[in-house]
Amino acid sequence: MLTENFLLVAALLLFVSVLAGKAAYRLGAPALLLFLGVGILFGYNDFVKFDSVEGAQFIGMIAMCIILFSGGMDTKFSDIKPVLTPGIVMATLGVVLTTLIVGGFIYYIAPHLGVEIPLTMAFLIAATMSSTDSASVFSIMRSKKQGLKQNLRPMLELESGSNDPMAYILTIMLVGIVHDGTSIDWVDAMRVFIVQMIVGGALGYGFGRATVWIINRINIRSNPSLYSVLLLACAFFTYSFTSLVNGNGYLAVYIAGLVVGNFRIVYRNMLGNFFDSFTWLLQIILFLALGLLVDVHDLLKPDVLYMGLAVGIFMILVARPISTFICMAPFRGYTKTARTYVSWVGLRGAVPIIFALYPITSGVPGAEYIFNVVFLVTIVSLIIQGTTVSAMANWLNLSFEEPESTFKLSVPDHIRSEFSEVEVNESMLSAGDTLKDIKLPGNTLVVMVCRGDQYFVPKGYTKLHTQDKLLVVSDNNEELIKKAKDLGIKKFVKV
């Protein structure tokens, strides 16, 4: 009966979480916030009991591996190449500055709240919260279908996907210092950081290339579903082996996903769909587990509540803007409004809460207090920043409507031809209103027309109307794009 009851409760939690995700989309709130809320609701007064810190930490490790790997797969290197330097600076120096600024604030404000917090403990609390959360940023950015000017979206995704290693190193280092009572050895800390980043980056790239080679060379096409299992195994192996040899596993798995996503592999669409669904499942499980783990009564204690609210608001309004403007100062290509937006989208999510579990498992005195404060700061960040990601972009005039294709295709990766969607305008029909009258580049073919809710295959004599959407396949997409510009076509979307 125990197994059946567990499955019943798990199914109920997942079902409610999916409904919460749908509600979040309609309300313009981050779905992850409502997943967390579902966990808190069901964990209230031990309605569903889950108190395993080690279990939550293990779930967090598994989830972060897949979230980072999937995020890397979905990121085009051509998009992040122009923002590589500012993204890396934000992911490293930005994390250090956030830790120093927030740590100093916690140390200063603690006596005024009736709490005694040593300086190293204050820095430890700040370090756990110093990275922006990739799960939150990836899910919000991609669910909004909102474009951002000045290449801000790829930079924010690069920062959130690559700043966890720095925060992890600082957290582990400070956990050891607080636990053992030793002083900070900055030389040793820098050595550990350099070794972890170099080993993590090198192995991530190496394992990424090896994964591409294995996926393309191994022949299991008699059962294509096994490719998803194989890619999953490669992701876990990359993380675990890199961590085993003192590299940073989170950096390695993100870079490996980035490599896999930017090379040709068989069954790419199938693998992408699998990892997208699996990522959402793990995000739901992770946020549910973290929500179940927290005790609401502990969050509402005055010393936790006031500290959490004060630190959360300070991070949003002071610490994040200061670190952002310092890190982005050398990059003159970004306007003041762009820097302001980057400073606003410093979302905290599952990662800070996961990092806040390390002091508990390491036996650090006052670790439960750290966990509760970090949990509350995360809620503040998701409520204030997460619900205003889209509105802030509109207010700062940095957003634009990201075109979405009417046609949904699953094209094998080995096919070199590219599919695009073109919307018919008056200039296209100036020489005649039939398909044969439109002058398209060579090696280009219109294969389908969408008119309202109707889809049909056109002939040469088919009459076209303005606002018809054409599915076009071409062997020379650059020439097609140039022709579209000459015809004044505004909506040209790669399918």
Side-chain angles (χ1 to χ4, degrees):
M1 287 295 294
L2 183 62
T3 304
E4 287 80 357
N5 290 341
F6 173 79
L7 289 176
L8 178 63
V9 172
L12 179 62
L13 286 171
L14 289 175
F15 182 74
V16 173
S17 297
V18 171
L19 294 181
K22 182 178 180 180
Y25 180 78
R26 291 188 174 182
L27 295 172
L32 304 181
L33 175 62
L34 293 195
F35 296 156
L36 200 63
V38 171
I40 295 173
L41 179 65
F42 277 83
Y44 188 70
N45 285 333
D46 290 337
F47 180 74
V48 177
K49 189 173 180 61
F50 177 77
D51 54 6
S52 173
V53 174
E54 292 80 7
Q57 201 171 39
F58 179 75
I59 293 171
M61 180 191 70
I62 297 295
M64 285 308 301
C65 280
I66 300 305
I67 290 168
L68 290 171
F69 189 83
S70 179
M73 280 185 64
D74 290 340
T75 303
K76 296 296 182 187
F77 187 74
S78 57
D79 292 338
I80 67 170
K81 188 177 179 180
V83 297
L84 200 57
T85 305
I88 291 174
V89 172
M90 287 290 296
T92 51
L93 179 60
V95 170
V96 174
L97 289 174
T98 300
T99 300
L100 294 174
I101 296 169
V102 176
F105 175 75
I106 293 172
Y107 181 71
Y108 170 78
I109 200 176
H112 299 283
L113 299 177
V115 184
E116 271 212 38
I117 299 179
L119 184 59
T120 51
M121 176 73 87
F123 283 138
L124 173 57
I125 298 173
T128 60
M129 302 181 292
S130 58
S131 69
T132 56
D133 186 45
S134 56
S136 301
V137 173
F138 287 152
S139 63
I140 291 174
M141 286 289 174
R142 289 168 188 179
S143 64
K144 292 292 182 183
K145 304 293 184 185
Q146 185 180 36
L148 294 173
K149 299 174 184 177
Q150 300 187 47
N151 269 341
L152 289 181
R153 179 166 155 177
M155 198 201 77
L156 288 167
E157 292 187 346
L158 173 63
E159 180 204 0
S160 67
S162 57
N163 62 7
D164 295 332
M166 189 70 197
Y168 173 79
I169 291 169
L170 289 175
T171 300
I172 296 301
M173 180 186 71
L174 287 165
V175 163
I177 291 169
V178 172
H179 186 266
D180 300 333
T182 58
S183 59
I184 301 176
D185 186 344
W186 294 106
V187 175
D188 185 61
M190 185 58 67
R191 181 190 61 81
V192 171
F193 169 72
I194 293 173
V195 169
Q196 286 222 347
M197 297 299 278
I198 291 176
V199 174
L203 289 182
Y205 180 79
F207 283 131
R209 292 299 301 267
T211 299
V212 172
W213 186 87
I214 292 170
I215 293 290
N216 287 332
R217 292 300 180 92
I218 194 170
N219 188 0
I220 47 176
R221 299 191 181 192
S222 57
N223 190 355
S225 298
L226 290 177
Y227 281 104
S228 300
V229 179
L230 180 61
L231 190 56
L232 195 64
C234 291
F236 287 139
F237 182 85
T238 299
Y239 171 82
S240 56
F241 184 87
T242 304
S243 300
L244 193 64
V245 296
N246 297 321
N248 193 282
Y250 290 127
L251 177 63
V253 81
Y254 176 72
I255 292 178
L258 191 63
V259 172
V260 171
N262 284 273
F263 280 84
R264 288 185 175 272
I265 55 173
V266 297
Y267 297 102
R268 173 181 296 278
N269 292 318
M270 180 193 72
L271 293 172
N273 291 334
F274 169 81
F275 269 81
D276 189 44
S277 301
F278 195 49
T279 298
W280 272 108
L281 174 63
L282 288 175
Q283 285 183 115
I284 292 174
I285 293 173
L286 173 60
F287 275 78
L288 284 176
L290 295 175
L292 291 170
L293 190 64
V294 73
D295 188 335
V296 177
H297 302 95
D298 290 338
L299 291 181
L300 297 178
K301 289 179 179 178
D303 57 339
V304 174
L305 183 62
Y306 296 147
M307 179 65 78
L309 291 175
V311 172
I313 294 171
F314 179 81
M315 288 188 74
I316 293 170
L317 299 180
V318 181
R320 172 71 178 183
I322 289 175
S323 61
T324 298
F325 275 82
I326 290 175
C327 290
M328 297 186 70
F331 309 106
R332 303 296 182 185
Y334 293 98
T335 62
K336 188 176 180 180
T337 54
R339 298 164 200 254
T340 302
Y341 186 73
V342 171
S343 70
W344 186 255
V345 191
L347 283 85
R348 269 64 195 177
V351 173
I353 302 175
I354 294 170
F355 287 169
L357 294 174
Y358 283 96
I360 298 177
T361 56
S362 301
V364 172
E368 289 77 11
Y369 178 78
I370 295 175
F371 176 79
N372 290 322
V373 168
V374 172
F375 197 99
L376 199 55
V377 170
T378 298
I379 292 177
V380 170
S381 175
L382 286 173
I383 290 175
I384 297 178
Q385 294 170 296
T387 56
T388 56
V389 167
S390 180
M392 184 61 73
N394 292 330
W395 185 64
L396 293 172
N397 196 28
L398 291 170
S399 66
F400 62 89
E401 184 180 353
E402 197 170 56
E404 190 174 3
S405 174
T406 306
F407 303 93
K408 306 297 181 185
L409 300 178
S410 180
V411 183
D413 193 61
H414 62 272
I415 293 181
R416 302 279 179 175
S417 302
E418 296 186 67
F419 287 83
S420 305
E421 178 186 319
V422 175
E423 185 173 310
V424 177
N425 60 17
E426 292 182 0
S427 63
M428 290 179 65
L429 305 179
S430 58
D433 60 359
T434 63
L435 180 59
K436 64 182 179 181
D437 295 322
I438 299 177
K439 303 301 181 184
L440 294 173
N443 300 321
T444 301
L445 183 67
V446 178
V447 295
M448 187 168 289
V449 177
C450 173
R451 180 175 298 158
D453 296 329
Q454 294 183 329
Y455 293 82
F456 56 90
V457 177
K459 306 292 184 182
Y461 53 80
T462 299
K463 286 191 175 182
L464 300 177
H465 303 159
T466 56
Q467 297 186 340
D468 280 353
K469 297 176 179 63
L470 311 182
L471 177 62
V472 181
V473 60
S474 177
D475 289 338
N476 191 342
N477 217 44
E478 291 183 4
E479 189 178 346
L480 179 60
I481 292 172
K482 183 177 180 300
K483 183 67 176 178
K485 288 181 179 179
D486 293 341
L487 292 173
I489 296 173
K490 294 183 178 179
K491 186 172 181 182
F492 184 91
V493 186
K494 187 175 179 180
V495 179

